[in-house]
Amino acid sequence: MTATPSQPYTPFVPCAQQVPRHRAVFGPTRARGRAGRAGRDLLALVLLPLPLLALTLPAAFAGGGTRRWFGGRSESQRAEAQAAKDAAAAAFYELDTAQRDLRISIETITAVDDTPAARRAVADFEALGRRIDEVSHTYIDAVDAHDLDRDDLEASVAAHARTELSKAKDELSRVKQELDRFEQGLAPLLGKAETQLARLAPAVERARQSLLAASNALDAVRGSGSGLRADDLAARLAALAPELTKLNQGAGQHGVPETLERADRVARDAGAVRAEAERLPERATEIDRRLVSLRTRAQALTTRSGQVEPVLSELRRRFTAACWQDLQHVPDQSAETVRQAEQKLAEARTARQEQRWADATALLSTVRALLNTTDEAVSAAGDRLRRLNEVSKDPQREIERTRFAIRDAQRLAMAGRNTPDPRHARPLDDSVARLERAIGTLEGRHPDYWHFLTELEAVRATVGGVVSRIREERGAGA
């Protein structure tokens, strides 16, 4: 309930009527009337004959139903009632101002926040508005019920008016305190809403600038004379046009949170388009370089694949089947893998010419993986022959290397202990036994050197695992 007419932005509570101006203060016309009558009375007394004047003065000052000129109980009560009326008017004005200010805060919150807390704040404000209506009506009724400007205002009437106006003032002040407490509790919601509103204009402007920068970058790439069309980037940029339209329509139509989210998304997507447009010439150059590099590598692997068969022939001639059986498929598999790589390379070249950059990049990655597989297979045959040659000439080197690893682990397991931990001792003892068994496989006319090498590698891996566990346990204990 307010004391001023309803405004367009005040949707919550109806406004109270204006307090009638002629009842709120002493009007200048009535004051001039009283002064005129007093002057005429005085002039009439002056013009009376002296004997008649002597009889008239006591009656004029003593009663006859008129007000005393020099004060009295009625005037004192009138003054107190008027003071109460002024105090009530001030309280009414303060409450009205506070309600208007708070209504703006509520509208700020509802424009941004639709959470249960915000809806509860709106409902509480409406309840306060109804309470303000009640006390405001009480105040207005009290003002309308008592005319403190009457000449014949009695002391009892003035005292009653003062009582009612004082009571109305107390009620207005009490509701004002409730409004103040409500406003204090509203501070977190209001702060959040104001923060979002403060972000709104900069966020929308950033989105617009990002779109403009992306458009400029795209124009620069197309006009560089390199033949780059950037059709995919142009399509992505065109897809952002409806979003820009919604941003221009404003938060009043689409809501503040939605507009903030849309502005951030547009700025992010436009920034990505701009970055890709600026990098596009470099990306095209990189794809061209990779096409040449992978073509050269495929040719080299074709040559190396032809050398696998002689290596396998030597392995078959000098070592048992167990040493080379798993490599029998390498020549055929290498040739097939290189053929697949060359096919994918041709597809990548076509994608580059059509400026399908993502497809070209994916195809080149596939070509690289195929060539890596071929390289490993071709290298495996040569590496197998080399290692078998080394161990056949000097198996003791691998044996000593493994024994050293076991002894080093045993010393670590016994450090600071009288007996080793069974969790560590058991796998180390098993490793010693495995080593001895592997050494035994070297006896005979045609030993399986490849089994010997792989078994010793497994023993060293087991020992390395024990060492790692011991160090972790001791590190945790320290």
Side-chain angles (χ1 to χ4, degrees), residues 211-226 228-230 233-234 237 273-274 277-278:
L211 284 170
L212 178 61
S215 178
N216 292 337
L218 196 59
D219 291 342
V221 168
R222 288 174 158 181
S224 62
S226 59
L228 297 175
R229 299 188 305 271
L233 296 180
L237 190 62
V273 171
R274 174 189 177 183
E278 292 175 344

Side-chain angles (χ1 to χ4, degrees), residues 13 41 73 126-127 134 152 171 343 367-368 379 386:
V13 292
D41 292 344
R73 187 167 181 273
E126 291 175 349
E134 295 175 2
D152 56 348
E171 288 296 320
Q343 179 182 352
V367 170
R368 182 178 180 182
S379 298
R386 178 186 59 78

Side-chain angles (χ1 to χ4, degrees), residues 116-370:
R119 292 193 293 269
R120 187 165 54 251
V122 172
D124 292 344
F125 181 70
E126 291 175 349
L128 270 175
R130 290 189 292 270
R131 174 71 175 137
I132 292 171
D133 281 348
E134 295 175 2
V135 297
S136 298
H137 280 304
T138 301
Y139 161 72
I140 293 173
D141 291 343
V143 171
D144 288 343
H146 305 288
D147 184 5
L148 302 182
D149 294 337
R150 288 172 48 193
D151 292 335
D152 56 348
L153 182 66
E154 297 180 359
S156 59
V157 175
H160 181 65
R162 181 196 62 191
T163 301
E164 289 192 0
L165 290 167
S166 297
K167 182 179 179 181
K169 181 258 182 186
D170 293 339
E171 288 296 320
L172 291 167
S173 299
R174 190 175 298 109
V175 176
K176 171 65 165 54
Q177 292 174 359
E178 295 178 15
L179 205 63
D180 291 342
R181 287 193 296 270
F182 176 74
E183 183 178 13
Q184 293 173 1
L186 210 62
L189 287 174
L190 181 60
K192 178 182 176 182
E194 289 177 341
T195 299
Q196 288 197 344
L197 286 174
R199 287 177 49 205
L200 184 60
V204 172
E205 183 60 26
R206 280 195 303 272
R208 290 171 178 159
Q209 293 301 322
S210 296
L211 284 170
L212 178 61
S215 178
N216 292 337
L218 196 59
D219 291 342
V221 168
R222 288 174 158 181
S224 62
S226 59
L228 297 175
R229 299 188 305 271
D231 293 337
D232 56 335
L233 296 180
R236 287 166 57 185
L237 190 62
L240 295 176
E243 299 296 307
L244 178 61
T245 300
K246 293 179 180 178
L247 287 177
N248 291 333
Q249 289 171 348
Q253 182 171 344
H254 299 286
V256 174
E258 292 79 4
T259 301
L260 280 172
E261 181 182 356
R262 179 174 291 110
D264 292 341
R265 185 173 62 252
V266 168
R268 183 173 59 251
D269 294 347
V273 171
R274 174 189 177 183
E276 291 186 34
E278 292 175 344
R279 187 178 172 272
L280 190 55
E282 178 185 350
R283 187 179 185 184
T285 302
E286 175 66 15
I287 288 177
D288 292 339
R289 185 190 65 77
R290 290 181 64 187
L291 281 169
V292 174
S293 175
L294 290 175
R295 186 185 305 110
T296 302
R297 187 181 177 191
Q299 293 170 351
L301 279 174
T302 300
T303 302
R304 288 181 59 198
S305 297
Q307 299 171 356
V308 173
E309 190 59 41
V311 171
L312 286 177
S313 297
E314 185 173 355
L315 287 170
R316 295 188 194 102
R317 187 178 68 254
R318 296 179 53 196
F319 301 99
T320 62
C323 294
W324 47 262
Q325 193 69 38
D326 59 320
L327 298 177
Q328 284 289 90
H329 66 284
V330 169
D332 294 338
Q333 184 178 8
S334 298
E336 176 62 20
T337 305
V338 170
R339 186 191 65 78
Q340 293 177 3
E342 290 177 343
Q343 179 182 352
K344 296 295 181 182
L345 199 60
E347 294 177 7
R349 190 178 301 109
T350 301
R352 162 62 181 91
Q353 293 172 353
E354 295 175 355
Q355 299 191 18
R356 292 184 286 112
W357 308 110
D359 292 342
T361 301
L363 287 168
L364 289 175
S365 297
T366 302
V367 170
R368 182 178 180 182
L370 289 170

